[in-house]
Amino acid sequence: MDDGLPTIQMVDLGRQRRRLGQRLDAAIAAVVDHGRFILGPEVARLEEDLAARTGVRHVIGCSSGTDALLLALMAWGVGPGDVVFVPSFTFAATAEVVVRVGATPFFIDVRSDTFDIDVGGVDEAIVAARAAGLRPVGVIAVDTFGQPADYDGLRNVAAGEGLWVLADAAQSFGATRGGRPVGALADMTAVSFFPAKPLGCYGDGGAVCTDDDAMAARMRSLREHGRGRNKDDSVYVGINGRLDTLQAAILLAKLEIFDDELVRRQQVADRYTAGLADLTTVPALAPENTSTWACYTVRVVHRERLRTCLEEARIASAVHYSSPLHRRSPYSGYPTAPAGLAVSERLAHEVLSLPLHPYLDEDDQFRVIRTLRAATATSAG
Ligand SMILES: *Cc1c(COP(=O)(O)O)cnc(C)c1O
């Protein structure tokens, strides 16, 4: 059928690189020439640009999205005896950082429409955790596949109970909810610049956004081994968690085309929805949200058969996430929502992510849609 056609990748960074061309080369060369590789001027410039973009007071660049989550927990002083509510249908890092600081993750189910944390589930879990003698301190909400969680609902619940809300916005930087940008929706927001994320660098990178001056100052210290005013003064036990100057320079170049890329991502998502909505469960965007479309994830019945058909047609696909965290051995001993995690478990069997990047052209995308339609017709029943 599609013999001889090139493979359609999940994310193709080559087109973006060609578009950036000389601008990117110059940005990298400038850093190599000035030589301030650690916390050089590009890091500060990126932090200012991202703060201006989101309207938050502070953006702190750091070494990864995982370390962004970790720095936020460290700044709040989360530790042994503390309980942090996290969704089970997410990437491992969301719960990993909670265990890493010695606290207890408490797994909550997600909504079947948006795949984001179920606010009602958090409410019930707070009661259950307290009844079990545990001490809830906060909630990490994940903006799954690029769509912001229900922060209004979460902050209502959290404020009444004295909990903080941390946004795991590893996939959603650039999205909005109720017209407000991701970064400004929670008490603190962790962003990832992993290469395949919507705003990616050429290695690991991340950032934390917050309006809290004291937390920002603490995280700036924590990312540099807890340094004080002088380099050889320690005021906290920190980490080596800085963002490289080279990565900041690359991100500054990519930021210039990021808004255009977000528009293109939405166009690709719209074409998938138009081509697949009658045949599979396509992603549902809450009316108050925009998404970065970090993943375009459908729910299907005969997933493995469909994946085989896609593979034979040289089309990449991915499964995020094939098991919920509470089912994985390192996390299986932690408390779970009293009502169970039925949605997370079902999604793990049904989700299928399709190729999506700003430069996926219409012909390639119709090849994906055509292949899926043909495969679904033969898989029916
Ligand atoms: C990618 C991702 C992370 C981790 O980001 P890194 O930059 O790879 O450390 C955390 N949470 C979620 C939901 C992610 O998708």
Side-chain angles (χ1 to χ4, degrees):
M1 264 171 29
D2 287 324
D3 278 0
L5 291 171
T7 299
I8 301 175
Q9 301 167 8
M10 292 298 289
V11 175
D12 181 356
L13 293 171
R15 297 270 305 270
Q16 183 197 53
R17 194 270 173 271
R18 289 193 286 282
R19 177 180 181 188
L20 287 168
Q22 177 55 33
R23 270 188 287 177
L24 191 59
D25 298 340
I28 292 170
V31 177
V32 175
D33 288 342
H34 72 54
R36 295 171 62 189
F37 300 115
I38 302 297
L39 297 184
E42 285 82 358
V43 175
R45 201 167 352 121
L46 176 72
E47 291 175 341
E48 283 161 22
D49 278 16
L50 296 179
R53 199 189 152 87
T54 51
V56 296
R57 289 172 60 81
H58 307 282
V59 174
I60 298 101
C62 65
S63 39
S64 68
T66 305
D67 285 340
L69 292 165
L70 182 64
L71 286 167
L73 296 185
M74 290 173 79
W76 270 313
V78 178
D82 293 336
V83 163
V84 177
F85 300 106
V86 297
S88 185
F89 186 72
T90 179
F91 183 62
T94 313
E96 181 182 46
V97 290
V98 176
V99 177
R100 189 52 50 219
V101 298
T104 302
F106 190 125
F107 291 104
I108 307 290
D109 211 357
V110 295
R111 295 168 55 114
S112 58
D113 53 355
T114 61
F115 309 156
D116 287 333
I117 194 167
D118 173 33
V119 176
V122 175
D123 222 357
E124 288 166 20
I126 293 171
V127 175
R130 293 219 169 107
L134 302 170
R135 185 172 71 228
V137 294
V139 185
I140 306 180
V142 180
D143 298 342
T144 313
F145 307 146
Q147 165 161 219
D150 175 8
Y151 289 102
D152 325 296
L154 278 171
R155 292 184 90 165
N156 259 336
V157 168
E161 302 286 344
L163 310 187
W164 44 255
V165 177
L166 170 59
D168 180 342
Q171 304 176 7
S172 64
F173 189 77
T176 61
R177 180 174 178 86
R180 295 177 66 210
V182 164
L185 299 172
D187 296 312
M188 295 216 243
T189 300
V191 180
S192 168
F193 303 127
F194 183 82
K197 309 280 175 170
L199 180 61
C201 58
Y202 288 155
D204 281 307
V208 192
C209 311
T210 185
D211 279 325
D212 188 317
D213 299 346
M215 287 296 149
R218 202 172 293 172
M219 290 188 288
R220 286 189 186 284
S221 167
L222 286 168
R223 75 172 171 183
E224 277 195 276
H225 304 288
R227 66 169 282 182
R229 227 174 265 286
N230 303 311
K231 229 182 178 133
D232 55 2
D233 182 21
S234 301
V235 292
Y236 306 106
V237 175
I239 60 172
N240 179 350
R242 296 167 298 230
L243 176 67
D244 289 344
T245 310
L246 268 173
Q247 301 301 351
I250 289 158
L251 287 164
L252 282 166
K254 289 198 181 192
L255 261 182
E256 289 179 27
I257 59 168
F258 185 50
D259 286 320
D260 174 65
E261 290 187 336
L262 287 170
V263 171
R264 290 168 180 246
R265 285 177 166 279
Q266 180 62 50
Q267 288 166 350
V268 174
D270 286 342
R271 286 202 294 263
Y272 273 139
T273 299
L276 297 171
D278 62 325
L279 160 114
T280 60
T281 307
V282 295
L285 198 58
E288 57 271 59
N289 281 348
T290 64
S291 177
T292 59
W293 299 104
C295 289
Y296 188 92
T297 304
V298 296
R299 291 170 61 187
V300 297
V301 188
H302 303 285
R303 183 172 69 195
E304 290 321 306
R305 247 195 286 167
L306 295 181
R307 290 198 78 187
T308 305
C309 293
L310 288 168
E311 201 184 322
E312 283 167 358
R314 294 200 184 80
I315 297 167
S317 66
V319 173
H320 308 298
Y321 305 93
S322 60
S323 66
L325 293 187
H326 71 281
R327 291 286 180 201
R328 302 186 194 179
S329 59
Y331 300 105
S332 60
Y334 294 107
T336 54
L341 295 127
V343 178
S344 297
E345 303 203 356
R346 195 168 75 242
L347 290 178
H349 290 286
E350 296 180 352
V351 287
L352 177 65
S353 298
L354 304 177
L356 190 150
H357 58 84
Y359 308 99
L360 182 63
D361 62 42
E362 283 193 51
D363 286 350
D364 282 351
Q365 198 179 353
F366 286 132
R367 214 174 108 203
V368 180
I369 292 169
R370 209 166 55 236
T371 306
L372 263 180
R373 294 198 70 88
T376 307
T378 58
S379 306

